[in-house]
Amino acid sequence: MAGFRSLAYQVRDARNDRALRRHSLRRCLERFAPYGHRATWWHLCDRHGIAPEDRGADPQRLVAALEELEEARAVWLAYERQFAERRRREKHDGLRRPEWAWGGSGDAVVRCADPGVRPDGTLAEVLRRLVAALESEPGTSCPVCGERELHWPAPVPTPRRGRGAARGAAACGRRPAGPGSGGTPGSWEGAWAWDGPVCAGCGIVVPRPALADSTWSTPPASATAGAA
């Protein structure tokens, strides 16, 4: 299976026809798509003047979109390296407290609840804001746009705990709500460790590590009422 760099090379390779270069860019999103696959694709198309269904898109526009994606990927990979190194130092010093961490591959790390509603700015700018928030004290507003109005989604039924469900959760790099796998007193069915409320401003699903405990430990009554 081709990796991100190999696919990026195919996007740039002028020997390839336009359809293949576009297809390779789409496949890059299978390796890294910070808003989720569809939302990230629509974002790149809007910013670089690419019709989402155009299989003969201008190669220069495809390369420009790739460069934006590459910059964002570099921002996130640098954060992951720094996080891993810090945790190694903390464990060496005997600090083994539970801590939030993204366990996926860069897919939907700052997911858009609605692919048509996305933050302003480049992907790298948005991820830099998120990283700054993750490296600071948790807050009570959206780390990307500063909006304080956050909406918790209605809970969903708990999936059956079969082997397939366990494999699916592991493949997503997600865990049940709360540090570890046991949940917290304020968790609710169907929630995942990374996903928090939806920002009313830019539309992202705010990662829980960026929010103070008081913001997410007890979902609003409107959210819990939806499951009744």
Side-chain angles (χ1 to χ4, degrees), residues 164-186:
R167 285 197 299 268
C172 292
R174 295 173 173 174
R175 307 182 298 277
S181 60
T184 64

Side-chain angles (χ1 to χ4, degrees), residues 177-179 182-188 216-219:
T184 64
S187 64
W188 68 97
W216 63 262
S217 59
T218 306

